[in-house]
Amino acid sequence: KYPKLVNWVEDNIEETLSFYRLPLAHHKHMKSTNMLERLNQEIKRRTLVVRIFPSPQSCLRLVRALAVEIHENWLEATRYLNM
């Protein structure tokens, strides 16, 4: 019924099942999309401030810098997944 989805899952099976490689204690936190929704919200907020980017690469640089910043905050400050 969904051949494109099936092909994608078969091609990316490692990424698809990476959730199960995490420690069992992390599973209950990873079932929620709160962290991802927060990241998307922050990206939207920051890109709306800029409004017009000179090129797609400049937008991508902003998003990457934001992702790195949030990742570092998760590693250093938040003990959400550090059980």
Side-chain angles (χ1 to χ4, degrees), residues 1-77:
K1 189 172 180 179
Y2 301 102
K4 287 183 181 179
L5 177 61
V6 170
N7 290 335
W8 181 86
V9 170
E10 287 175 348
D11 293 342
N12 299 288
I13 195 72
E14 288 294 320
E15 291 85 1
T16 304
L17 300 176
S18 62
F19 169 82
Y20 295 103
R21 286 195 299 256
L22 295 171
L24 195 57
H26 293 198
H27 285 200
K28 71 177 181 178
H29 295 291
M30 295 306 291
K31 287 180 184 175
S32 167
T33 59
N34 291 346
M35 295 168 79
L36 184 58
E37 288 172 9
R38 177 70 181 117
L39 173 63
N40 289 336
Q41 180 183 27
E42 191 63 21
I43 290 170
K44 182 178 179 181
R45 186 182 74 81
R46 299 260 184 114
T47 54
L48 286 176
V49 169
V50 176
R51 295 172 60 109
I52 298 175
F53 290 92
S55 68
Q57 291 81 11
S58 62
C59 179
L60 187 57
R61 277 194 300 272
L62 174 67
V63 171
R64 284 180 182 155
L66 181 58
V68 167
E69 177 185 325
I70 290 177
H71 176 70
E72 288 173 353
N73 287 343
W74 286 345
L75 289 177
E76 294 171 2

